[in-house]
Amino acid sequence: MNDVAEKVSPEVQAEYQRLHATAEFRALQSAYRRFVVPTTIAFMVWYLTYVLCSNYAGDFMGQQVFGNINVALLFGLLQFVTTFAIAYAYARYSLAKMDPISDELRAQFEREVG
């Protein structure tokens, strides 16, 4: 295994540190956290509800909804739907809220570092 760190010039490091301290960078971090933290909490609650119901609410999870489809199967399939919905929502959120900030920060960095 070859673990060679990339050599970064002092000028590049200084510019990165300068950008890291800007209000724009803090706004980017804040926008990221505003989406990720509540979404992660909500998904974990949803997932743990599924797991707990599977373990402790067997009668409820075994109820037939239609045909051979029961609540447990629907909950399991909805986990996949939720995952894809979150990915889609994050892509849209990122495009609208985070990408403009990161594009500007990248442009500033490239102008300064060349």
Side-chain angles (χ1 to χ4, degrees):
M1 186 182 333
N2 189 1
D3 289 332
V4 177
E6 181 181 351
K7 301 291 184 204
V8 177
S9 71
E11 295 82 19
V12 169
Q13 182 66 27
E15 181 59 20
Y16 176 78
Q17 292 297 328
R18 186 191 72 74
L19 286 175
H20 191 266
T22 63
E24 292 88 358
F25 191 85
R26 286 190 301 279
L28 181 62
Q29 289 177 313
S30 177
Y32 175 77
R33 287 186 188 117
R34 270 194 309 274
F35 182 88
V36 170
V37 171
T39 304
T40 300
I41 291 168
F43 182 79
M44 291 305 296
V45 167
W46 162 230
Y47 176 74
L48 290 173
T49 299
Y50 170 62
V51 171
L52 291 172
C53 285
S54 294
N55 283 318
Y56 300 110
D59 291 339
F60 169 69
M61 296 296 272
Q63 286 181 353
Q64 298 295 315
V65 177
F66 52 88
N68 289 331
I69 308 298
N70 62 16
V71 173
L73 181 60
L74 286 179
F75 271 31
L77 292 174
L78 285 173
Q79 292 293 316
F80 290 102
V81 172
T82 304
T83 300
F84 288 112
I86 290 170
Y88 178 76
Y90 178 75
R92 302 246 333 161
Y93 179 84
S94 178
L95 185 64
K97 305 286 185 187
M98 295 169 34
D99 286 356
I101 300 170
S102 65
D103 289 344
E104 178 56 34
L105 287 170
R106 184 180 309 108
Q108 286 180 30
F109 182 79
E110 289 172 356
R111 276 193 305 271
E112 295 297 321
V113 175

